[in-house]
Amino acid sequence: MPISIDRFDEEPVDALDLQEGTHPYRLLQFLAAHSDQAFTQTELHEETDIKRGSVGAALSRLEERGLVRHRGRYWAIAEDDRLASYAAQTNASSASTTDDYYGDEE
């Protein structure tokens, strides 16, 4: 979907450009929600339902952009100021969704 030239010119260069619903977006969202843990590609596949073969490619693209890091077999969200606000937003959104879903039980 095209964007206006004004938005193009005004958007910061370091903005996270992740399209909702894509594999990189889903992986980053999951890792942001679990920022205190690291996961193997198999665990990420099982937790996100992304095809096993697609997980590695998406993680590599995220790593190239400095959004995730890995050591050995384990992957985690990167330590980046942009990601700290993204993680906070993701966690707040998750809490809001849970609150809306369960509501006030009587």
Side-chain angles (χ1 to χ4, degrees):
M1 173 191 319
I3 62 171
S4 73
I5 196 67
D6 292 333
R7 180 174 169 200
F8 173 82
D9 288 334
E10 292 171 4
E11 195 162 290
V13 174
D14 64 349
L16 296 178
D17 182 27
L18 293 169
Q19 189 171 12
E20 190 170 341
T22 63
H23 292 164
Y25 177 89
R26 289 171 50 202
L27 286 167
L28 194 60
Q29 185 177 33
F30 177 81
L31 290 171
H34 301 88
S35 60
D36 60 339
Q37 297 176 299
F39 299 86
T40 65
Q41 288 186 24
T42 299
E43 291 167 336
L44 290 169
H45 152 72
E46 292 169 352
E47 293 291 334
T48 62
D49 291 326
I50 296 173
K51 291 182 181 179
R52 190 179 303 256
S54 299
V55 170
L59 287 170
S60 293
R61 287 193 302 273
L62 290 169
E63 184 180 32
E64 287 171 4
R65 296 174 65 191
L67 301 175
V68 299
R69 57 195 163 120
H70 84 280
R71 188 170 298 142
R73 299 177 336 144
Y74 290 90
W75 293 82
I77 195 160
E79 294 175 344
D80 185 315
D81 291 341
R82 297 174 298 166
L83 297 172
S85 62
Y86 180 80
Q89 178 185 6
T90 298
N91 291 335
S93 176
S94 296
S96 172
T97 301
T98 302
D99 292 345
D100 292 345
Y101 180 74
Y102 291 109
D104 292 330
E105 294 182 16
E106 296 179 16

